[in-house]
């Protein structure tokens, strides 16, 4: 299983990175894109034909989903539109409605995504199997609710060979993420600010909290992401490294890791 960072800037796109988006490739199954914030669709084109991707959304904040309408345009009108089949788009409840509103042409209208996407919600199906053309399961995804203002999900991706990637889903510190991340080989974890007084509760983690989560979950490598352009990246990394003894990496566009 390979993880490629498409965008890692927190809350908004930054001068050197799109907002949140990650490509996961496992042999034998369709490529997976986790989150699709502004700028991610452009970066994705450096790696795969975007039409082929299964899309998993952690939540519907703009910085995690607003390139999906662009992908819809590509799938509906692009050069491969004729032979494009519907691909899975899995997100929180209300994904079809919210993306449909973003893609609509008139005030009050809702674009019907069902010609291009097969939309489902984590709320209904928190466990998903991804199969190759041969019908064999190549990747399993488990989503679990985390602590963030809208309905948000962390994800645990397990390859057929047993490798595990966990994505935090833009959460504040929470026990459900510690459980979800248990023993992950790579833990892709948002850490949006330093551990200072006056941080608002229930929104994001500091570097220290990301490091503590990694330690309690016993993960292999910690990859810090979703750091906004106005936050000191090295300070966030130093906080995490003070809590977690393992390798701590800062996500950056085009970082590619074997999980
Ligand atoms: Zn975010
Ligand atoms: Zn968010």
């Amino acid at each position: 299983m390979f993880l490629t960072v498409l965008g890692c800037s927190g809350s908004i796109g930054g001068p050197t990175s799109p907002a949140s988006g990650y490509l996961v490739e496992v042999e034998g199954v369709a490529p997976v894109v986790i989150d699709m914030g502004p700028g991610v669709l452009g970066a994705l084109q450096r790696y795969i034909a975007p039409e082929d991707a299964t899309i998993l959304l952690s939540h519907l904040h703009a910085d995690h989903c607003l390139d999906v309408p662009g992908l819809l345009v590509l799938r509906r009108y692009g050069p491969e539109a004729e032979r494009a089949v519907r691909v899975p788009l899995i997100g929180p409840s209300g994904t079809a409605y919210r993306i449909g509103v973003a893609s609509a042409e008139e005030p009050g209208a809702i674009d019907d995504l069902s010609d291009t996407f097969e939309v489902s919600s984590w709320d209904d199906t928190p466990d998903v199997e991804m199969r190759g053309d041969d019908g064999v399961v190549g990747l399993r995804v488990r989503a679990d609710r985390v602590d963030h203002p809208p309905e948000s999900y962390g994800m645990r991706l397990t390859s057929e060979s047993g490798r595990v990637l966990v994505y935090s889903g833009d959460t504040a510190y929470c026990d459900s993420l510690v459980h979800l991340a248990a023993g992950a080989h790579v833990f892709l974890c948002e850490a949006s600010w330093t551990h200072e007084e006056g941080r608002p509760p229930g929104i994001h983690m500091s570097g220290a909290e990301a490091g503590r989560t990694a330690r309690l979950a016993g993960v292999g490598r910690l990859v810090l992401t979703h750091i906004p352009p106005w936050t000191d990246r090295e300070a966030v990394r130093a906080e995490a490294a003070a809590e977690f003894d393992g390798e701590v990496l800062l996500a950056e566009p085009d970082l590619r890791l074997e999980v």
Side-chain angles (χ1 to χ4, degrees), residues 9-12 19-20 35 58-59 61-64 148 167 170 190 192 204 226:
S9 181
S11 300
I12 63 169
S20 295
D35 285 350
S58 62
H59 65 303
H61 269 154
D63 58 317
H64 295 257
H148 193 58
Y167 174 54
D170 213 7
E190 282 122 333
S192 294
H204 290 305
H226 200 276

Side-chain angles (χ1 to χ4, degrees), residues 11 148 170-173 192-193 199-200 202-206 209 226:
S11 300
H148 193 58
D170 213 7
T171 181
Y173 181 83
S192 294
W193 44 48
R199 289 171 292 115
I203 300 180
H204 290 305
M205 277 188 281
S206 65
E209 289 168 319
H226 200 276

Side-chain angles (χ1 to χ4, degrees), residues 44-156:
L44 183 60
Q45 292 169 61
R46 294 200 291 270
Y47 293 97
I48 63 167
E51 295 96 325
D52 296 338
T54 293
I55 309 298
L56 309 181
L57 299 179
S58 62
H59 65 303
L60 297 170
H61 269 154
D63 58 317
H64 295 257
C65 70
L66 274 191
D67 257 8
V68 178
L71 177 59
L72 188 148
V73 168
L74 180 65
R75 300 198 93 257
R76 187 179 280 165
Y77 305 112
E80 300 297 322
E82 293 279 308
R83 60 185 185 86
V85 294
R86 298 198 310 162
V87 292
L89 166 62
I90 312 175
S93 13
T95 293
Y97 171 79
R98 294 278 302 281
I99 299 297
V101 168
S103 176
E105 295 182 331
E106 305 286 343
I110 303 167
D111 192 4
D112 180 358
L113 318 184
S114 61
D115 58 327
T116 57
F117 293 114
E118 193 176 321
V119 185
S120 59
S121 83
W122 297 123
D123 200 29
D124 295 331
T125 52
D127 290 290
V128 174
E129 291 179 340
M130 296 183 188
R131 297 171 187 272
D133 292 338
D134 54 5
V136 174
V137 176
L139 182 66
R140 289 181 167 80
V141 183
R142 172 164 188 82
D144 202 1
R145 281 290 290 271
V146 290
D147 185 14
H148 193 58
E151 182 184 317
S152 303
Y153 295 85
M155 296 171 208
R156 181 181 180 96

Side-chain angles (χ1 to χ4, degrees), residues 153-177:
Y153 295 85
M155 296 171 208
R156 181 181 180 96
L157 289 78
T158 305
S159 72
E160 201 46 27
S161 61
R163 304 301 289 179
V164 177
L165 167 69
V166 170
Y167 174 54
S168 59
D170 213 7
T171 181
Y173 181 83
C174 63
D175 290 340
S176 61
L177 181 62

